[in-house]
Amino acid sequence: MSEDPSEGVVRRDRFSGGPARGFLSSLAADERIFQADLAVDRAHVVMLAEQDIVDDDTVGEILAALDDVESAGHGALPDGEDVHEAIESAVIDRMGADGGKMHTARSRNDEVATCIRYRLREDVLGVVENTIALREALVSVAEKHTETVMPGYTHLQPAQPTTVAHYLLSYEAAVARDTARLLDAYDRINQSPLGAAAFAGTPFDVDRERTAELLGFDSVMSNSMDASAARDFLAETLSALATYATTLSGLAEDIIIFANKGYVDLDDDYSSTSSIMPQKKNPDTLELVRGTAGDAVGGLTGLLTTLKGLPRAYNRDLQRAHGHAFDAVDAVGNATDVAGGAVATATWNTELLAAEAADGFSTATGVADLLAMAGLPFRTAHEMVAEAAAEANGENPTVATLDAVAEEVLGASLWEYVNRDAVEAALDPTQSVASRDSQGGPAPSAVADDLDAVVSALDADTAALATRRDALAAADEQLATEVTRYD
Ligand code: ARG
């Protein structure tokens, strides 16, 4: 039996981990949830006092000890299997055995699940904020380039002329869905497992709604076995992050290609040089943004592999689960900042883009559309224009070539269908873009309509973020107020 009854610890001595102690311990990694654990401890003991499970004086002493532990910081914690055990030991060190009443009616299993959710929700809101900033950057550059025509690609081949605004807003639309996925994930993260105890509830008359309220959770996860075991919120978050990182990697790749063609010039702040080749200006920042998708997808794979086939309820494998989500949230948040900065500060080479917008006969579809609008079956028009493209042999066909091919393929002059001005307009990239004014198309008028909707959606997401942050701040304040009652 240990000398000091406050340690209460024959079992702790015996099961201290032996040679595997370091392997078992998550204390260092738990620094990330140090503040979360203090908040969870505070809410839990306030509830224990309110429910007359632990007397007010003892709770006051525990709360004072927790303040002290907080000031000393994570680095000053005694050795422990994890932050939960170490904080409890630190409280007991300060006030004696009664500090152990802090762990009444709970387990580290519901405690750690609560701490992860408490911390991750804040991190996810951070990434939501990053995505909104990136979308704002995309929109503000797009607003300046609604008339800047550029080549559009499929299969990396020139396909149809579009505009820089239309291109950038295509990514804004994708990132908007990523924002929505992260907000959806947030709403399922923000549910409280606390009070589930190990997995099987507790005979104490705990008030789970109260601890949820004090910690800013939107609801209680009722089934105690589900509450302590569930980690699907990590999978959902990482899946949203991996999907988003994949979107970002496409944006990064495009801009790397455009920089390579001279279409866009990255600001020096977002470029690197070579240690040997003095002339080099490399898009390393965007290559790392592209590479971040590997981290997020790898993290998701690692997490799901850890979770797959785990039996109910708690298993220590879970200690290795949440790190994947925290790593990804950091990596993807940072990549977003860099991508947003690179987009906001890059310079588009409008002259070169205009000069090359019609390369590869990318206006061909517009000519076929013109003939189809004049009544020719689209397939026939398509074949005729394809024939003209073949005759032009890599060059863009002239009006005269088109007319000659019309005689050959249609057995009629082109001018029986359309007038010369209309054909010339279809061949001109700027007019080609302007003609495609269907909803969501690249015509400046269509992009202007889209921009209005995009700006309102951005405002709505900014408000959704603020609502969630305000709710967390209000809960924080409420908890701080309740704590002062025990001074
Ligand atoms: N450190 C553990 C984790 O992160 C929580 C402790 C639960 N440990 C236990 N043996 N039940 O999952």
Side-chain angles (χ1 to χ4, degrees):
M1 182 82 185
S2 161
E3 293 275 289
D4 178 359
S6 71
E7 284 179 19
V9 272
V10 172
R11 286 176 56 77
R12 278 209 184 153
D13 283 350
R14 181 171 156 209
F15 294 108
S16 63
R21 183 153 186 77
F23 182 69
L24 276 174
S25 177
S26 59
L27 184 57
D30 287 349
E31 183 167 6
R32 180 119 189 179
I33 52 170
F34 176 64
Q35 290 296 338
D37 195 67
L38 291 165
V40 169
D41 287 344
R42 287 177 177 126
H44 181 65
V45 297
V46 164
M47 181 276 293
L48 292 179
E50 289 173 354
Q51 295 296 101
D52 292 326
I53 296 171
V54 177
D55 66 89
D56 287 7
D57 288 348
T58 304
V59 165
E61 274 188 74
I62 293 172
L63 288 168
L66 286 170
D67 284 350
D68 207 37
V69 170
E70 179 172 21
S71 316
H74 176 270
L77 286 174
D79 195 19
E81 227 180 64
D82 54 30
V83 73
H84 322 292
E85 187 185 289
I87 289 179
E88 186 187 323
S89 300
V91 167
I92 292 170
D93 286 347
R94 282 165 173 77
M95 63 177 280
D98 273 358
K101 293 193 177 181
M102 182 168 79
H103 209 56
T104 311
R106 74 170 188 196
S107 146
R108 280 184 297 161
N109 296 352
D110 59 337
E111 189 180 356
V112 70
T114 311
C115 291
I116 299 165
R117 288 168 182 272
Y118 183 96
R119 175 61 205 245
L120 186 63
R121 66 187 184 184
E122 176 189 323
D123 292 328
V124 166
L125 291 185
V127 181
V128 166
E129 183 176 5
N130 298 144
T131 65
I132 290 174
L134 169 60
R135 288 162 59 193
E136 284 169 350
L138 290 164
V139 167
S140 79
V141 179
E143 280 169 342
K144 296 188 194 98
H145 288 291
T146 54
E147 317 250 346
T148 306
V149 294
M150 69 177 283
Y153 300 87
T154 61
H155 314 275
L156 268 184
Q157 305 289 338
Q160 289 186 276
T162 183
T163 67
V164 170
H166 189 243
Y167 163 76
L168 291 174
L169 291 176
S170 77
Y171 274 105
E172 193 288 331
V175 179
R177 288 190 297 279
D178 292 308
T179 307
R181 270 187 284 272
L182 288 165
L183 286 171
D184 280 354
Y186 175 91
D187 292 341
R188 266 177 296 276
I189 295 169
N190 200 29
Q191 301 174 353
S192 178
L194 195 61
F199 74 95
T202 166
F204 290 98
D205 179 24
V206 292
D207 185 345
R208 298 188 61 196
E209 299 290 344
R210 178 62 169 157
T211 47
E213 179 196 4
L214 291 174
L215 292 168
F217 288 107
D218 294 328
S219 60
V220 165
M221 298 179 73
S222 192
N223 182 291
S224 60
M225 192 177 306
D226 172 50
S228 69
R231 294 293 186 277
D232 52 289
F233 71 100
L234 294 176
E236 185 175 1
T237 303
L238 246 173
S239 158
L241 288 169
T243 305
Y244 170 48
T246 305
T247 308
L248 270 185
S249 72
L251 173 66
E253 168 72 351
D254 274 346
I255 297 181
I256 290 165
I257 292 172
F258 293 159
N260 179 267
K261 289 174 183 280
Y263 291 166
V264 72
D265 188 23
L266 285 183
D267 192 86
D268 286 357
D269 282 350
Y270 290 91
S271 311
S272 299
T273 187
S274 156
S275 62
I276 178 170
M277 297 167 281
Q279 85 288 6
K280 293 282 274 175
K281 177 174 171 180
N282 295 327
D284 292 34
T285 52
L286 291 170
E287 290 166 2
L288 282 167
V289 169
R290 188 174 61 188
T292 302
D295 297 47
V297 173
L300 175 62
T301 309
L303 171 72
L304 290 172
T305 309
T306 298
L307 298 184
K308 180 193 168 295
L310 281 188
R312 282 280 184 265
Y314 179 85
N315 301 273
R316 194 60 172 270
D317 316 44
L318 292 179
Q319 185 166 289
R320 303 197 66 79
H322 48 274
H324 291 299
F326 288 136
D327 288 350
V329 109
D330 290 346
V332 175
N334 291 337
T336 306
D337 281 346
V338 170
V343 165
T345 56
T347 310
W348 291 86
N349 187 343
T350 52
E351 278 167 28
L352 183 62
L353 286 166
E356 298 195 0
D359 278 7
F361 192 23
S362 69
T363 51
T365 308
V367 177
D369 284 337
L370 187 69
L371 290 167
M373 283 171 127
L376 210 60
F378 181 78
R379 187 56 52 218
T380 309
H382 183 277
E383 276 164 23
M384 193 221 105
V385 177
E387 187 58 38
E391 300 238 332
N393 223 353
E395 299 294 311
N396 287 357
T398 59
V399 172
T401 311
L402 284 164
D403 189 29
V405 172
E407 288 286 0
E408 230 174 83
V409 177
L410 309 174
S413 161
L414 193 58
W415 317 126
E416 282 186 30
Y417 296 92
V418 287
N419 66 45
R420 175 177 285 270
D421 285 352
V423 176
E424 270 165 4
L427 289 170
D428 174 72
T430 301
Q431 297 191 63
S432 165
V433 164
S435 74
R436 276 172 281 126
D437 59 356
S438 53
Q439 188 189 350
S445 59
V447 168
D449 289 346
D450 262 0
L451 267 170
D452 289 341
V454 162
V455 169
S456 323
L458 258 172
D459 289 345
D461 284 349
T462 305
L465 172 63
T467 304
R468 285 165 180 77
R469 282 201 164 140
D470 289 349
L472 294 186
D476 235 31
E477 233 172 82
Q478 194 192 351
L479 177 59
T481 307
E482 296 302 336
V483 163
T484 60
R485 294 188 202 286
Y486 302 88
D487 280 351

